[in-house]
Amino acid sequence: MSAETGCMVAIDGPAGSGKSTVARAVADRMGYTYIDTGAMYRAVAWKVLRADLEVGRDDEEIGRLAGELSFGFRAVGDGRHLFVDDEDAETAIRTPRVGNLSSPVSAIPQVREHLVAAQRDMARHEPVVMEGRDIGTVVFPSALLKVFLTASAEERARRRYDQLVARGEDVSFEQVLADMRARDERDRNRPIAPLRIADDAIEIDTDPLTINEVVDRVLELLADRLEGYDGTAV
Ligand code: DC
């Protein structure tokens, strides 16, 4: 029996770089738990809208709110849904409106403090694959393997556009591309935990690769790391 606990794989990168698909597939193959930290920032944004709060004006209250929420990922059908205070939030957090608001919400220091603590907690008793923007740099700087996925803005917007259309959202490609560029710009330039590649992360440009090729590459890298790994928490 393996006693692995902690962050076995940290996957960071900009929106639409394929992080979720790759992280989920790697977790499935390894029997690890998949954690989508972006979903948690989206959930706070969703609650902000519901409570009629405004970023900039109500940051203190938003920070408090983030600390009061309880998060849990549960299997629903063949996917995993984020539950917030026992309510299935999955559909509500995937709208473009919540996605756009999650970026300024995630720049509020108290929000990050609470969510980072919750994320560390989730890996305390089991091995996880965690994806986000700051997993390798802030949440788990000692993760066994750190991967940073990149892709051109056009390719990322195309993937996100296809996802939204499949979900029945009425969006234009130009709008998705513009939203994505604006979000990247904010995520990269915020003062706290900006999106950046950790010194010891391995960068994979996904533009010329299929998802399966990216997954295989990550699994190969992980197999290498596991060879020298002694089973202590990471
Ligand atoms: O990955 P996503 O698009 O679901 O993320 C939603 C927002 O949350 C995104 O604008 C950046 C932010 N985020 C973050 O700041 N840190 C993370 N670890 C994950 C997401």
Side-chain angles (χ1 to χ4, degrees):
M1 259 303 279
S2 139
E4 293 162 359
T5 58
C7 187
M8 308 303 288
V9 188
I11 302 185
D12 291 303
S17 56
K19 298 185 303 286
S20 303
T21 315
V22 172
R24 197 178 304 122
V26 169
D28 279 353
R29 288 279 288 273
M30 298 302 297
Y32 298 161
T33 297
Y34 159 58
I35 294 171
D36 167 7
T37 62
M40 298 165 72
Y41 289 97
R42 285 168 178 266
V44 179
W46 168 56
K47 292 284 185 179
V48 164
L49 285 174
R50 258 201 183 174
D52 227 352
L53 297 172
E54 207 178 297
V55 178
R57 185 191 66 195
D58 306 314
D59 289 6
E60 225 176 280
E61 203 172 336
I62 296 171
R64 235 187 345 262
L65 173 84
E68 287 165 359
L69 301 176
S70 79
F71 300 97
F73 290 93
R74 298 186 204 158
V76 175
D78 48 5
R80 272 167 73 76
H81 288 191
L82 176 63
F83 281 70
V84 182
D85 296 337
D86 282 329
E87 182 180 354
D88 187 341
E90 198 57 35
T91 306
I93 63 171
R94 299 296 167 193
T95 66
R97 185 157 182 236
V98 169
N100 289 336
L101 186 67
S102 63
S103 181
V105 162
S106 72
I108 299 172
Q110 286 74 19
V111 171
R112 301 207 71 84
E113 227 173 83
H114 290 302
L115 266 50
V116 166
Q119 290 153 14
R120 289 185 178 144
D121 230 41
M122 288 175 173
R124 212 175 288 287
H125 302 294
E126 55 184 357
V128 307
V129 177
M130 196 173 279
E131 57 112 335
R133 303 292 191 290
D134 61 339
I135 311 307
T137 50
V138 175
V139 187
F140 283 104
S142 63
L144 189 64
L145 172 66
K146 299 180 190 179
V147 173
F148 193 90
L149 299 184
T150 61
S152 65
E154 286 73 16
E155 175 62 22
R156 293 187 290 113
R158 195 191 55 73
R159 291 176 191 161
R160 188 50 59 94
Y161 174 75
D162 289 347
Q163 278 172 1
L164 291 170
V165 169
R167 239 179 259 141
E169 295 279 348
D170 180 22
V171 287
S172 74
F173 175 78
E174 286 68 30
Q175 191 55 50
V176 173
L177 179 60
D179 285 353
M180 184 159 278
R181 289 204 160 117
R183 201 134 75 83
D184 283 354
E185 181 73 13
R186 269 199 309 263
D187 294 343
R188 283 205 166 90
N189 294 309
R190 67 182 176 215
I192 301 169
L195 172 67
R196 69 170 182 84
I197 180 166
D199 293 338
D200 52 352
I202 293 165
E203 185 168 346
I204 302 176
D205 174 8
T206 66
D207 263 4
L209 302 174
T210 64
I211 285 291
N212 285 340
E213 287 170 330
V214 180
V215 172
D216 286 346
R217 175 91 187 101
V218 174
L219 287 169
E220 261 169 44
L221 291 165
L222 181 60
D224 264 8
R225 292 295 156 92
L226 282 169
E227 265 187 28
Y229 170 62
D230 63 5
T232 51
V234 281

